Amino acid sequence: MLKRIWHGWTRAADADAYEDLLRSTIFPGIIDREIEGFLSIELLRRPLEDEVEFVTIMTFADPTAVVRFAGPAHDTAVVPPAARKLLSRHDGHVAHYELKTTRHAQGQGSATA
């Protein structure tokens, strides 16, 4: 299992609009593609001094699924034009991590990959 991690930043004034774009258009568009091996996408947000940082974490079953999503240049960030208009800056490349283990709080179960 792979985690694909990407960072983008907006001006504080654009943060809500960017989050809304992700929730209403970009994430549903990814899900609607029904990419074999795509498992989930998560959104993290945190305010910084002069901007807002966003992190997306996509989970894929295997490297082939990542290529199905991003194409042969799978380390290149996939940032739609509408998102670029709201971002003040963003990573041009993503990082892929192999998920080795997941632990849950007591009573929540656990899984090891």
Side-chain angles (χ1 to χ4, degrees), residues 24-65:
S24 67
T25 304
I26 294 174
F27 286 7
I30 292 168
I31 292 165
D32 288 348
R33 288 175 57 191
E34 297 182 354
I35 301 161
E36 183 182 345
F38 165 69
L39 303 174
S40 67
I41 188 165
E42 299 170 86
L43 176 63
L44 308 177
R45 174 180 170 163
R46 74 175 176 144
L48 300 173
E49 192 169 313
D50 296 325
E51 57 191 354
V52 177
E53 179 183 17
F54 290 88
V55 178
T56 59
I57 304 172
M58 299 180 77
T59 304
F60 293 92
D62 54 50
T64 304

Side-chain angles (χ1 to χ4, degrees), residues 61-106:
D62 54 50
T64 304
V66 174
V67 173
R68 284 188 202 101
F69 167 71
H74 64 277
D75 288 337
T76 300
V78 177
V79 184
R84 290 177 188 268
K85 290 180 182 178
L86 294 169
L87 292 165
S88 54
R89 60 190 176 101
H90 63 83
D91 291 345
H93 291 87
V94 299
H96 294 102
Y97 295 87
E98 183 180 351
L99 178 63
K100 301 304 288 182
T101 188
T102 299
R103 301 282 182 208
H104 297 278
Q106 188 175 11

